[in-house]
Amino acid sequence: MTPPFRTPIGLLLTNTARAASRAFDDALAAVGGSAPIWQILISIKSRQLGNQRELAEAVGIQGATLTHHLNAMESGGLLTRRRDPANRRVHVVELTEEGERLFHRLREVAVAFDARLRAGLSEEQIAAFEQVLTQLAKNVRD
């Protein structure tokens, strides 16, 4: 007798991540943001100053894709870029006042979304879930 079919973990993970990502994107869009903008803003805020190469690595995107986002964000008045006086090949990226305001709006949305995801879960369940995700990431790398 064959064992009953179980949905593969990878498929469950992919579908759940896709649904969560769409919901998060929608929540950010409602206040004028997007997931890439949020990732860029939080990366800049966590470093105060950062160059484009470091930002691309932190966000996990290619340099050309980052440049596209930074161009739009700069045109929108969210950030400025200037040459690093110590290395003229490097652009230093800084938030403007409008970028700061957007960062704070998006942070509120991100905190609320995280609370939404955690709803109905105990601290023990969250800790176990984090361990499972860590192990899945390790299994993929190995």
Side-chain angles (χ1 to χ4, degrees):
M1 188 165 133
T2 60
F5 175 77
R6 294 180 69 183
T7 303
I9 288 174
L11 184 59
L12 289 171
L13 183 63
T14 298
N15 290 341
T16 302
R18 190 176 294 126
S21 181
R22 273 195 301 265
F24 188 51
D25 284 339
D26 291 346
L28 293 171
V31 297
S34 67
I37 288 173
W38 170 240
Q39 289 178 306
I40 291 167
L41 291 175
I42 200 165
S43 293
I44 293 170
K45 285 292 286 185
S46 68
R47 289 181 177 77
Q48 289 303 313
L49 294 173
N51 66 52
Q52 288 186 210
R53 185 181 61 253
E54 292 170 342
L55 280 173
E57 289 173 13
V59 175
I61 59 178
Q62 298 293 318
T65 302
L66 177 67
T67 299
H68 169 76
H69 289 300
L70 292 179
N71 287 343
M73 292 172 74
E74 189 172 33
S75 294
L78 300 175
L79 56 84
T80 60
R81 291 181 284 185
R82 62 179 171 79
R83 299 268 183 202
D84 184 342
N87 183 349
R88 302 285 301 154
R89 293 174 296 171
V90 173
H91 284 94
V92 176
V93 181
E94 299 173 295
L95 296 184
T96 62
E97 287 184 25
E98 182 57 33
E100 287 282 342
R101 284 191 288 276
L102 181 59
F103 169 79
H104 290 290
R105 285 196 314 269
L106 296 180
R107 183 177 62 185
E108 287 180 21
V109 169
V111 168
F113 191 81
D114 187 64
R116 179 178 167 194
L117 287 176
R118 292 170 183 266
L121 298 172
S122 70
E123 286 302 318
E124 294 79 18
Q125 288 173 310
I126 291 169
F129 180 63
E130 289 170 346
Q131 288 177 336
V132 168
L133 289 175
T134 299
Q135 184 62 50
L136 288 173
K138 182 180 181 300
N139 292 351
V140 169
R141 285 190 309 268
D142 291 349

